[in-house]
Amino acid sequence: MSRIDENMDFIPVRIAVLTVSDTRKLEDDRSGQVLVDRLGEAGHVLAARKILPDERAEIAEQLRAWVADPEVDVVISTGGTGLTGRDVTVEAHRDVYEKEIEAFGTVFTLVSMQKIGTSAVQSRATGGVAGGTYLFALPGSPGACKDGWDEILSKQLDYRHRPCNFVEIMPRLEEHLRRK
């Protein structure tokens, strides 16, 4: 079972939040605000926040910009993970990934099943890595953002989480680029 090792120091990470929506503005972006509030309460740093329309190329361009930014360690997007024609966030994320974290979507589905039953099959939450930056796409509802953060990301983005976590392997994400 997982646990927090209180003998270790917390290491804050710099997180960018992207809301994907054709209709949301900062004032009514409840899902993005859930993520901003929770990452701040956990002790992490909000590196950037943006709202973009459901346009695959624009989403991928923003993800690549944040991957290239040394002040961003993690990107969490919300919205555009469903099955409709305008839902292109997952495809944009996969355009950028170097490696996909397949189990992220699986674990998100397991968490969602406990809350919304079989409706969880409609989510295409995804996670991956590019340029040493973690990228996660969550559905656009505030509840899904709470579940994704509270049940998965808050733990995996906490260096003290045992038996393992994403933060402890950050320095090794690009080890393949070092000379031998």
Side-chain angles (χ1 to χ4, degrees):
M1 198 61 158
S2 62
R3 65 180 175 82
I4 298 294
D5 183 345
E6 298 292 345
N7 294 319
M8 301 179 77
D9 291 332
F10 177 80
I11 298 174
V13 295
R14 299 164 295 194
I15 303 172
V17 174
L18 174 63
T19 298
V20 177
S21 173
D22 289 331
T23 60
R24 294 281 178 245
K25 304 264 184 287
L26 197 58
E27 311 80 63
D28 64 357
D29 177 21
R30 293 178 32 230
S31 298
Q33 193 61 48
V34 162
L35 293 169
V36 168
D37 292 345
R38 278 172 156 67
L39 72 89
E41 290 164 7
H44 296 295
V45 176
L46 178 64
R49 182 177 182 185
K50 195 160 199 170
I51 299 176
L52 288 177
D54 293 274
E55 296 294 340
R56 182 174 177 172
E58 284 184 57
I59 297 164
E61 181 181 339
Q62 183 59 63
L63 295 174
R64 285 187 188 100
W66 280 336
V67 165
D69 185 342
E71 296 301 313
V72 176
D73 301 311
V74 177
V75 176
I76 306 172
S77 69
T78 175
T81 64
L83 301 172
T84 71
R86 295 289 293 154
D87 291 324
V88 295
T89 302
V90 174
E91 289 75 17
H93 270 253
R94 289 183 175 148
D95 289 344
V96 177
Y97 292 164
E98 293 167 3
K99 292 185 179 185
E100 188 164 359
I101 306 169
E102 289 91 354
F104 180 79
T106 303
V107 172
F108 184 84
T109 300
L110 292 171
V111 167
S112 294
M113 282 284 295
Q114 297 171 15
K115 309 284 174 104
I116 61 171
T118 60
S119 295
V121 302
Q122 294 186 34
S123 167
R124 297 186 305 139
T126 185
V129 178
T133 302
Y134 289 108
L135 304 156
F136 302 100
L138 297 173
S141 75
C145 289
K146 289 174 187 175
D147 293 344
W149 179 266
D150 295 349
E151 303 298 329
I152 306 168
L153 294 174
S154 69
K155 295 165 179 64
Q156 283 299 300
L157 296 176
D158 189 331
Y159 179 73
R160 304 165 302 164
H161 184 266
R162 295 289 165 250
C164 58
N165 61 77
F166 290 141
V167 179
E168 68 186 335
I169 61 172
M170 276 179 157
R172 296 181 48 216
L173 292 177
E174 294 191 294
E175 65 189 1
H176 63 288
L177 299 177
R178 294 187 210 127
R179 287 184 179 242
K180 294 183 180 192

